[in-house]
């Protein structure tokens, strides 16, 4: 069971959004929201809105309860480059330089966290061998 949410053509460079994506990748939903809340970057607002959208998708589309939503973690977050807006700026001697205003596509996939007991059993069985 995967919950997806995405934002397309957001007018900020992908490398700036990737800083935030790397910060929250693999964390639980509550931890990610807490990290983003205190992170002072312009891209933190759209990422927090996508997380809210993903939780709303989980509640409405899959009928998950609040307890189940708290167990979700960020399985995958991808920031891709969208179309560039190309503008021109005059420079010396009558020539012009191109300005690329970059856009981003952000995709988030949430998944429920597996039981810790299963992970502990796997680790203990590997240590015994």
């Amino acid at each position: 069971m995967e919950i997806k949410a995405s934002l397309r053509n957001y007018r900020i460079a992908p490398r700036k959004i990737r800083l935030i994506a790397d910060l929250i990748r693999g964390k639980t939903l509550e931890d990610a929201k807490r990290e983003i809340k205190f992170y002072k970057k312009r891209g933190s607002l759209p990422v927090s809105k996508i997380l809210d959208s993903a939780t709303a998708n989980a509640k409405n589309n899959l009928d998950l309860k609040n307890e189940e939503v708290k167990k979700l973690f960020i399985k995958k977050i991808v920031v891709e480059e969208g179309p560039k807006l190309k503008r021109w700026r005059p420079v010396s001697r009558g020539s012009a330089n191109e300005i690329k205003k970059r856009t981003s596509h952000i995709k988030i996939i949430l998944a429920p966290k597996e039981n810790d007991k299963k992970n502990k059993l796997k680790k203990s069985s590997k240590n015994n061998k």
Side-chain angles (χ1 to χ4, degrees):
M1 169 179 65
E2 293 181 341
I3 297 107
K4 298 178 184 178
S6 65
L7 173 65
R8 297 180 57 83
N9 300 327
Y10 187 69
R11 218 346 244 120
I12 191 169
R15 65 189 173 101
K16 296 177 182 178
I17 300 283
R18 283 189 191 113
L19 292 172
I20 300 156
D22 293 339
L23 179 73
I24 63 170
R25 185 174 287 121
K27 294 191 176 182
T28 62
L29 206 55
E30 290 180 354
D31 291 341
K33 286 182 182 180
R34 191 178 310 115
E35 289 277 337
I36 289 174
K37 184 178 179 182
F38 296 107
Y39 200 61
K40 292 186 178 184
K41 292 281 184 185
R42 196 177 111 206
S44 61
L45 180 67
V47 174
S48 67
K49 285 187 176 185
I50 295 171
L51 286 175
D52 293 339
S53 175
T55 56
N57 288 346
K59 289 179 183 177
N60 293 327
N61 299 344
L62 299 174
D63 296 327
L64 293 180
K65 298 175 184 172
N66 286 335
E67 298 82 28
E68 295 170 334
V69 171
K70 289 180 182 178
K71 294 178 183 177
L72 294 176
F73 78 104
I74 299 171
K75 181 178 180 180
K76 188 175 183 181
I77 180 167
V78 180
V79 180
E80 297 173 343
E81 189 172 344
K84 297 176 200 139
L85 300 173
K86 294 178 182 171
R87 302 291 181 257
W88 298 92
R89 181 174 184 216
V91 290
S92 65
R93 298 187 179 189
S95 59
N97 283 348
E98 186 179 28
I99 298 173
K100 295 176 185 173
K101 298 189 174 199
R102 301 173 191 272
T103 60
S104 302
H105 299 320
I106 308 167
K107 298 175 189 173
I108 291 183
I109 298 175
L110 302 178
K113 196 157 195 162
E114 295 179 13
N115 294 336
D116 292 331
K117 292 179 182 178
K118 290 181 183 178
N119 293 336
K120 288 179 182 177
L121 289 175
K122 288 179 184 178
K123 288 179 184 178
S124 63
S125 65
K126 287 180 183 177
N127 292 338
N128 293 336
K129 292 181 183 179

